[in-house]
Amino acid sequence: MASRTGASRSGASPKTKAAIPQLAWHAIRPAPVVLVTGAEDVLAERSITMLRDFLRAEDPALEVSDLEADGYRRGELMTLASPSLFGEPRLIRVSGVERASDDFLLDALDYLGQTAESTTLVLRHRNGVRGKKLLDAIRAGGGSGIEIVCAELKKDAEKQDFAAAEFRAAGRKISPGALRALVGAFSDDLRELSAACRQLLADAPSDITEAVVARYYGGRVETNAFAVADAAIAGRHGEALIALRHALDSGADPVPMVAAFAMKVRTMAKVSGTRGGGPQLAGSLGLAPWQVDRARRDLAGWTDEGLGRAIEALAATDAAVKGAERDPVFALERLVGVIASRGRA
């Protein structure tokens, strides 16, 4: 991470030309104003933590303050940014700028014209149009800031880059095979992937190999509930049954396996029949854009009637694995048959 510098002319976002650097999450560096945008909260949290750690390493007396933009009261920002008696550097982290109160937006816009010395202001804005005037002012160069773009990671290659950066930042090595296995095991949840990386960094030997990943996450690496569900939803009955039996032999619990099926099928039901796309549709459904895209791919070959029967089968299986029937494994196999037939069985 570079030392504190002013903003330079650089780059542009896909929608709006920016007069400030727009950097990836792992390239964060100090600046008077740091705008952290995008829907990927894990990347934003990691990036902001990296910045805090860097500033604290520069000066252990760093004073850290947190504000919530939606509950903000007029004058709080200026008070926190005011120089103290001993002149300690300051880090002010503001969350929820996409929900900011009018008072916060007014104070923040004023602050851009008179940023405080030795103070780093971090503004976290996930998405939406609220606060656009403030974002445009920062991107135009107000406050001599930078923007950290934390877009959703949709591709396995992007998630591998994320995990590789976690190990690289810690000065540790992970083999390509181990990296693929780790991402394959936690590809559905970036937060879980991040936690798995931290566990390996804390507990595992210096070099992370495939054998190390298998020892910690063997059952999940080989197969997981979502892999079983994916195979069944795609109509691959035999593959789904094999994956199911392997998961159960590896210690998987039937209850969360049913939950994985339910999550995917209910998402498909939400998306079924909708038109259009993008963040607006995803937001109206309570989903991320990538979830909408994935559900539409999963819906190939399904009918509304089939989805209805699948949801009924899920409810019956959920009851069965929680004690309503004597054989939860048989109930799961029966569910796989219904799903793999796309609700026709």
Side-chain angles (χ1 to χ4, degrees), residues 63 75 198 259:
E63 185 176 306
R198 290 197 299 272

Side-chain angles (χ1 to χ4, degrees), residues 14-245:
K15 296 181 180 178
T16 306
K17 284 191 175 297
I20 62 173
Q22 292 180 305
L23 308 174
W25 68 273
H26 52 77
I28 194 168
R29 59 174 173 78
V33 177
V34 179
L35 174 63
V36 182
T37 59
E40 195 61 84
D41 289 327
V42 174
L43 299 186
E45 292 165 10
R46 291 289 295 113
S47 191
I48 294 170
T49 298
M50 288 170 61
L51 177 60
R52 181 205 63 194
D53 292 346
F54 178 80
L55 292 172
R56 187 162 283 161
E58 279 194 327
D59 191 333
L62 177 72
E63 185 176 306
V64 180
S65 302
D66 291 297
L67 291 173
E68 295 182 4
D70 54 346
Y72 179 87
R73 291 176 295 182
R74 198 74 192 267
E76 287 181 306
L77 176 59
M78 302 305 180
T79 299
L80 291 175
S82 297
S84 68
L85 179 64
F86 300 103
E88 300 96 341
R90 300 189 174 201
L91 171 63
I92 303 173
R93 302 177 296 198
V94 184
S95 62
V97 177
E98 71 278 2
R99 306 184 305 272
S101 67
D102 290 340
D103 283 346
F104 175 77
L105 295 175
L106 288 170
D107 276 2
L109 283 166
D110 286 345
Y111 182 81
L112 296 183
Q114 49 180 343
T115 57
E117 187 177 354
S118 300
T119 296
T120 300
L121 174 64
V122 176
L123 303 175
R124 173 70 178 118
H125 189 286
R126 293 188 82 254
N127 50 38
V129 297
R130 180 67 175 165
K132 183 177 184 300
K133 184 177 180 181
L134 173 61
L135 269 61
D136 287 347
I138 295 170
R139 288 168 176 158
S144 299
I146 62 173
E147 181 174 359
I148 306 301
V149 182
C150 300
E152 290 180 81
L153 303 188
K154 300 179 182 179
K155 300 177 181 178
D156 280 351
E158 294 172 332
K159 295 171 186 176
Q160 287 182 18
D161 289 343
F162 164 76
E166 294 281 87
F167 289 97
R168 187 165 53 248
R172 301 280 292 281
K173 293 182 179 180
I174 180 169
S175 72
L179 187 62
R180 287 192 298 271
L182 188 62
V183 171
F186 296 96
S187 61
D188 293 301
D189 191 323
L190 191 66
R191 193 172 295 281
E192 287 191 359
L193 175 60
S194 178
C197 291
R198 290 197 299 272
Q199 181 179 10
L200 289 173
L201 286 169
D203 300 340
S206 56
D207 289 341
I208 310 299
T209 64
E210 288 180 72
V212 172
V213 173
R215 185 165 69 249
Y216 278 80
Y217 305 113
R220 185 152 187 169
V221 168
E222 293 296 331
T223 187
N224 59 33
F226 288 101
V228 179
D230 287 341
I233 288 168
R236 302 192 297 270
H237 188 197
E239 179 182 331
L241 278 179
I242 292 170
L244 170 65
R245 288 163 185 159

Side-chain angles (χ1 to χ4, degrees), residues 254-276:
V255 174
M257 296 200 73
V258 175
F261 273 94
M263 184 183 301
K264 295 186 74 70
V265 171
R266 286 169 186 160
T267 301
M268 291 164 61
K270 278 186 178 182
V271 173
S272 179
T274 61
R275 294 184 179 180

